[in-house]
Amino acid sequence: LSNIRYLGVEKTVVRLKLLSAERPDDPPREVEVVGSDLASSRLELTWRRPRRQPLVPASPYERKVAEARRRGLVYPYEIIRMLSSGDEARERAAEETEDDGRRPVLPVGSFEEFDLPDDRKGTDAVSVAGRAPGQNPSAIVFGIVSTPTNKVPEGMRRVLLLSDPTRGMGALAGPECDRIIAAIDLAERLSLPVEWIPVSGGARIAMNSGTENMDATARVVRRIVTFTQQSGVIHLIVAGINVGAQSYWDALATMLMHTKGVLIMTPEA
């Protein structure tokens, strides 16, 4: 299975018949080993009872993941899935638990998605927990992620801010900038750090918009500076294209004399 992942295969199912060493006379037990690597990020192995249902068409979410993968990108909700298990994954794991107690290996933690209200009457982020993944109306996805550790068993909380590169390569316009500011406001209100994984081609250039997009990115500049001047912390992990306004934000958030966050550049940056 580890060799197949480099061929671009998203899922491999191997059916086995296992004999019990303690009870060799018992009939063999059928199991399926499912290896999936939908986002080309890591190979996940799951043991489950064999399924006989016919294959179904890919869901809109799976198509978005595959679209990002073909372009060498990672869909933001796949990063969230890596950092948190969530209730659905826990329920799915319980269903797939085998008789011998084995269950799929799942990342620990939780994620609560936030967004701006649909009526646009307020600028404060509101929780949209329970909203199906992939329903983001802009190229920005954000929320509160919590990761339990041995030192902090109740979970280390921070505001997670992600770009959606399947929407105009993460181009930045008013809706995106408004959500970035709302995410920073949320972090300030709850005294949490910001963890930002951006992929962006800079301010949007289109026939139906002009300098207002540059004005929107300037508002983010101001908010980054005021947040960090008040001891706010922004950590940036650059794992893709960051040009134009986004590259300036990266520098302002981590390279001024008063900033406390870290800037991590990966080989893919």
Side-chain angles (χ1 to χ4, degrees):
L1 290 174
S2 61
N3 293 328
I4 293 175
R5 64 179 301 197
Y6 297 106
L7 300 178
V9 177
E10 295 177 355
K11 180 182 290 186
T12 305
V13 180
V14 180
R15 288 179 178 169
L16 304 173
K17 290 185 177 181
L18 301 180
L19 290 172
S20 173
E22 291 77 15
R23 299 185 296 274
D25 295 332
D26 289 353
R29 181 168 61 92
E30 291 190 4
V31 297
E32 282 184 348
V33 182
V34 181
S36 60
D37 187 25
L38 195 60
S40 294
S41 57
R42 65 175 182 172
L43 181 66
E44 295 184 358
L45 295 179
T46 303
W47 291 72
R48 70 187 188 192
R49 297 182 181 88
R51 297 180 178 178
R52 307 296 181 184
Q53 297 89 345
L55 292 176
V56 297
S59 65
Y61 177 86
E62 291 171 330
R63 289 196 292 270
K64 289 179 181 179
V65 173
E67 176 189 348
R69 176 182 177 178
R70 283 194 296 267
R71 296 160 59 187
L73 304 168
V74 179
Y75 195 52
Y77 288 95
E78 288 297 289
I79 298 176
I80 293 171
R81 195 167 68 90
M82 290 167 55
L83 295 174
S84 62
S85 56
D87 293 337
E88 285 189 15
R90 293 184 191 278
E91 293 173 3
R92 186 166 62 252
E95 293 175 358
E96 295 173 351
T97 301
E98 295 298 322
D99 295 334
D100 56 7
R102 285 177 295 187
R103 68 171 58 217
V105 177
L106 293 171
V108 296
S110 62
F111 177 78
E112 181 182 4
E113 187 174 2
F114 280 73
D115 207 341
L116 291 177
D118 294 335
D119 56 16
R120 305 294 296 169
K121 292 181 179 179
T123 58
D124 290 340
V126 296
S127 175
V128 290
R131 186 173 73 178
Q135 301 301 310
N136 51 304
S138 77
I140 291 294
V141 177
F142 70 99
I144 298 176
V145 63
S146 177
T147 305
T149 67
N150 292 332
K151 188 175 182 179
V152 189
E154 67 273 17
M156 295 191 303
R157 301 173 74 230
R158 63 263 191 219
V159 172
L160 182 65
L161 185 54
L162 304 167
S163 300
D164 184 351
T166 65
R167 290 176 171 266
M169 198 54 198
L172 301 165
E176 288 74 25
C177 294
D178 289 345
R179 283 164 174 80
I180 293 170
I181 293 173
I184 295 175
D185 290 346
L186 178 65
E188 185 174 72
R189 189 162 65 249
L190 300 177
S191 299
L192 297 176
V194 176
E195 199 166 279
W196 196 347
I197 307 178
V199 178
S200 176
R204 186 186 305 277
I205 299 175
M207 295 298 294
N208 60 350
S209 64
T211 57
E212 62 267 26
N213 294 335
M214 298 300 294
D215 294 339
T217 62
R219 293 199 303 272
V220 176
V221 167
R222 177 181 176 85
R223 192 64 188 96
I224 289 174
V225 172
T226 57
F227 177 66
T228 54
Q229 283 179 337
Q230 297 297 322
S231 299
V233 178
I234 300 176
H235 300 303
L236 274 143
I237 304 173
V238 182
I241 293 173
N242 275 215
V243 297
Q246 184 65 60
S247 61
Y248 285 103
W249 295 346
D250 298 348
L252 286 168
T254 57
M255 296 184 184
L256 299 182
M257 294 300 293
H258 67 274
T259 56
K260 301 177 181 179
V262 298
L263 174 63
I264 301 173
M265 302 287 290
T266 69
E268 293 77 18

